[in-house]
Amino acid sequence: MDRSVTSRTIAHSVSARTIRPRLQQSGLFARRPLLCLPLTQNHRRLCRQWCDERSMWTAEGNEIVFTDESRFCLQHHDGRIRVWRHRGERMLNSCVMHRLTGPAPAIMVWGGIGYHSRTPLIRIAGTLNGQCYISEVLESVALPYLQGLPTAIFQQDNARPHVARIVQGFFVNHQIELLPLLARFPDLSPIENMWSMVVERLTQITSQAATPDQLWQRVEAAWSTVPQKHIQSLFESMARSSLAEETRLPGDKSVKRTGE
């Protein structure tokens, strides 16, 4: 069934007002489609091979340290906020939402999670490049953290600062084992869910942060207050997700997230 069909694409002239109630009665509602990247046959073969090589991982999966950067905006408006108003009340102050015309002030942070612990959260100043990644993240936080976990496997995505030659040399010189990540591979990293839990805690604060420094304090506090047992649940669900991807990939032609 073509779920993108509209009244204009139907051969007979049918009013949208006629179609919409019938669809809603059947439990169908208009939603934004999930955006995916296409997978070639070679992508699917490599992804299946990656899952096969790690299908028997049990304790090894808990040795992975998942890391990532995330951006938090001081003011955010996604266009989905609505107000209740009568006709002619559009210009009332209570029906107006103010927003900045330029880029909204934001902070960039880096963090990592393990099964039994997590790294301190780092606030990244300016643009992240390979040298900055080494000096502000790897040398100052990641390396000391990994030294306390001799069997740890370091995971990062394929962002340009992460795969820079100088960064790869740093990992080799310090004998840090990396979890290989394929291009266009489904993002199974549980740290994405960790960021969601941080955002959930931020939304519980009624007053909006006034400055980037105040926002940083709140993000850092939210990161620290996520219970470790919630992170462990993410690791355990990751194993189930990996098995599901192994089953789904051969016949699927797209992936939801990428490691590019």
Side-chain angles (χ1 to χ4, degrees):
M1 180 177 65
D2 184 5
R3 294 182 179 268
S4 63
V5 66
T6 65
S7 59
R8 295 182 179 181
T9 60
I10 300 177
H12 301 285
S13 177
V14 182
S15 171
R17 292 185 177 181
T18 301
I19 297 176
R20 190 177 296 112
R22 299 293 180 88
L23 294 176
Q24 292 177 352
Q25 291 174 4
S26 302
L28 295 175
F29 298 89
R31 296 290 187 267
R32 294 182 179 181
L34 179 66
L35 299 180
C36 299
L37 290 174
L39 279 180
T40 65
Q41 187 65 31
N42 187 52
H43 283 138
R44 295 199 296 273
R45 180 184 62 81
L46 293 175
C47 289
R48 178 62 182 268
Q49 179 181 344
W50 192 97
C51 291
D52 286 342
E53 293 173 352
R54 294 160 180 83
S55 60
M56 301 304 294
W57 273 21
T58 52
E60 293 90 343
N62 294 340
E63 299 295 334
I64 303 174
V65 177
F66 293 93
T67 68
D68 195 15
E69 295 88 15
S70 187
R71 187 171 182 264
F72 293 86
C73 295
L74 194 62
Q75 296 180 355
H76 178 67
H77 172 52
D78 61 3
R80 298 184 181 182
I81 298 176
R82 301 290 186 265
V83 295
W84 295 98
R85 62 177 175 84
H86 297 288
R87 185 183 298 273
E89 294 182 342
R90 184 180 183 185
M91 302 303 295
L92 290 180
N93 287 335
S94 58
C95 299
V96 174
M97 175 172 291
H98 300 278
R99 65 180 180 88
L100 299 175
T101 56
I107 61 172
M108 177 74 73
V109 300
W110 176 95
I113 57 173
Y115 188 80
H116 297 289
S117 60
R118 76 199 75 179
T119 71
L121 201 64
I122 299 176
R123 181 179 178 180
I124 300 174
T127 303
L128 183 67
N129 54 34
Q131 186 58 54
C132 176
Y133 185 52
I134 291 176
S135 60
E136 295 190 20
V137 175
L138 298 180
E139 289 182 339
S140 61
V141 174
L143 185 59
Y145 178 79
L146 293 174
Q147 287 173 344
L149 303 171
T151 59
I153 303 173
F154 190 80
Q155 184 274 338
Q156 59 179 5
D157 61 26
N158 291 332
R160 186 169 298 178
H162 300 168
V163 298
R165 186 173 301 177
I166 187 175
V167 174
Q168 296 303 308
F170 179 89
F171 290 130
V172 173
N173 294 336
H174 291 84
Q175 299 180 342
I176 298 176
E177 182 180 357
L178 297 177
L179 179 68
L181 195 62
L182 303 173
R184 299 197 176 188
F185 187 74
D187 192 350
L188 304 178
S189 174
I191 198 170
E192 298 295 339
N193 301 90
M194 178 66 172
W195 295 129
S196 298
M197 289 190 286
V198 170
V199 171
E200 181 180 358
R201 281 161 172 74
L202 293 177
T203 57
Q204 295 174 358
I205 304 176
T206 56
S207 61
Q208 190 175 28
T211 64
D213 290 338
Q214 186 180 25
L215 177 60
W216 158 244
Q217 293 173 359
R218 293 182 179 184
V219 173
E220 186 180 28
W223 170 270
S224 302
T225 56
V226 174
Q228 190 64 32
K229 63 179 181 180
H230 290 180
I231 298 177
Q232 292 175 350
S233 297
L234 296 178
F235 272 73
E236 293 161 1
S237 65
M238 177 194 65
R240 296 190 295 269
S241 299
S242 180
L243 181 60
E245 289 295 335
E246 181 183 1
T247 305
R248 183 177 69 90
L249 278 169
D252 200 357
K253 297 183 179 180
S254 61
V255 292
K256 178 181 178 182
R257 294 289 303 274
T258 73
E260 292 184 317

